[in-house]
Amino acid sequence: KNEVEQSPQNLTAQEGEFITINCSYSVGISALHWLQQHPGGGIVSLFMLSSGKKKHGRLIATINIQEKHSSLHITASHPRDSAVYICAVRFLTGGGADGLTFGKGTHLIIQP
Amino acid sequence: NAGVTQTPKFQVLKTGQSMTLQCAQDMNHNSMYWYRQDPGMGLRLIYYSASEGTTDKGEVPNGYNVSRLNKREFSLRLESAAPSQTSVYFCASTRTGGRSNTGELFFGEGSRLTVL
C-alpha cells in the first residue's frame, strides 16, 4: 500500500530555533508537496518538489529520491510559523484517484 | 486574483437535510478536487474532476454528488446529510491532472459543516 508518514506528529519549540519536519513515502513518486495550514484557516502550498532543494525565505525543502524522504526546514522560527504542515505525495502508481496521498500532518507550535 | 473560492464557510444542518458546497477557481485550471479533513486523518479525496464534464470517485464518495458545471466551477452536494459528514471540506485545483502532473495545488479556505 502506498503510504506517507510524517514525523513528528507534534512539535513545540522556542522562537528562533531551527525546525525540521520529515516526510517518508513508500514507493516512487513524480512530485511531493509541502502544504501549510494555520489554525482554522485554509491550506497554502509552500513547495512542490521532484528533486533537489528549494528555498523560500526562511523555509527550505529538500528531497532525497533514493531514500524516499523529504524534509521541511524552518530557520529562525517565529510564532507566526505555528501551523500544521502537510506532506502530499503523487505516487507513480497507486495512490488516490487524483494520484495524491496526504500525510496526517505535523502540528508545529512556536512559543515566544 | 481570487484563486479558489468556496462557499459557504460555515453551515449547520440537521440530519436528512440537503445542501450544496460551491467552489470556483479563476486560474483556468483543468483539474478540481473535493476533499474532507477530519481530526487525526489526512485529507481524503471525495471526488475529482479532470476536466469540464468529467468526474471520478475518490476514496470516500458515498453520500455525495458532484457537478462540474463549467471549467471554473465544481460543486459538492449532500443529498441527505448524516452526522458522519460533519467535517471540514476543501476544494482544490491544479493546472493539469493525472499521475504525471507536477502542478502546484491551490486550495480554498475550507467549509466547516456540522450535521446534527
Side-chain angles (χ1 to χ4, degrees):
Chain A
K1 183 180 176 182
N2 295 359
E3 292 182 334
V4 177
E5 296 288 338
Q6 285 187 239
S7 63
Q9 287 186 339
N10 298 284
L11 178 58
T12 300
Q14 297 299 310
E15 183 174 357
E17 287 189 35
F18 181 81
I19 303 299
T20 296
I21 299 170
N22 298 297
C23 176
S24 297
Y25 51 91
S26 52
V27 294
I29 65 169
S30 60
L32 182 145
H33 300 260
W34 280 105
L35 311 170
Q36 180 192 56
Q37 183 177 23
H38 280 104
I43 299 171
V44 174
S45 176
L46 297 175
F47 295 103
M48 183 182 63
L49 296 164
S50 56
S51 64
K53 176 180 176 178
K54 287 190 176 181
K55 184 175 188 293
H56 184 249
R58 294 180 295 105
L59 301 177
I60 303 166
T62 63
I63 188 167
N64 185 319
I65 298 297
Q66 287 72 29
E67 295 186 2
K68 297 184 178 60
H69 180 268
S70 175
S71 293
L72 176 68
H73 304 288
I74 305 174
T75 62
S77 59
H78 189 276
R80 64 176 174 266
D81 297 324
S82 298
V84 176
Y85 293 85
I86 301 169
C87 172
V89 165
R90 195 174 294 280
F91 288 107
L92 290 171
T93 59
D98 58 347
L100 280 172
T101 301
F102 292 84
K104 293 181 180 180
T106 294
H107 188 194
L108 174 66
I109 297 173
I110 305 296
Q111 295 178 334
Chain B
N1 189 349
V4 179
T5 303
Q6 280 182 242
T7 56
K9 286 188 168 42
F10 300 94
Q11 183 74 50
V12 178
L13 293 176
K14 294 180 180 178
T15 297
Q17 287 186 315
S18 62
M19 76 158 297
T20 299
L21 298 175
Q22 307 284 356
C23 176
Q25 51 88 13
D26 61 2
M27 297 171 283
N28 202 36
H29 286 168
N30 293 324
S31 296
M32 298 185 74
Y33 314 83
W34 276 106
Y35 296 97
R36 60 178 289 172
Q37 185 180 44
D38 301 293
M41 307 186 76
L43 286 159
R44 293 185 292 169
L45 181 68
I46 305 171
Y47 270 94
Y48 159 55
S49 172
S51 61
E52 181 181 349
T54 67
T55 60
D56 288 291
K57 293 180 180 179
E59 183 183 355
V60 288
N62 291 344
Y64 305 95
N65 286 303
V66 289
S67 178
R68 184 75 183 267
L69 304 170
N70 48 54
K71 193 170 187 179
R72 289 188 65 249
E73 298 172 293
F74 187 38
S75 61
L76 178 71
R77 183 162 179 83
L78 287 70
E79 291 290 352
S80 179
S84 60
Q85 294 177 303
T86 294
S87 187
V88 181
Y89 292 84
F90 287 95
C91 177
S93 72
T94 188
R95 183 170 50 84
T96 58
R99 300 189 184 287
S100 62
N101 175 38
T102 55
E104 185 177 358
L105 292 165
F106 292 84
F107 287 84
E109 289 289 311
S111 299
R112 186 174 294 273
L113 175 65
T114 301
V115 183
L116 303 175

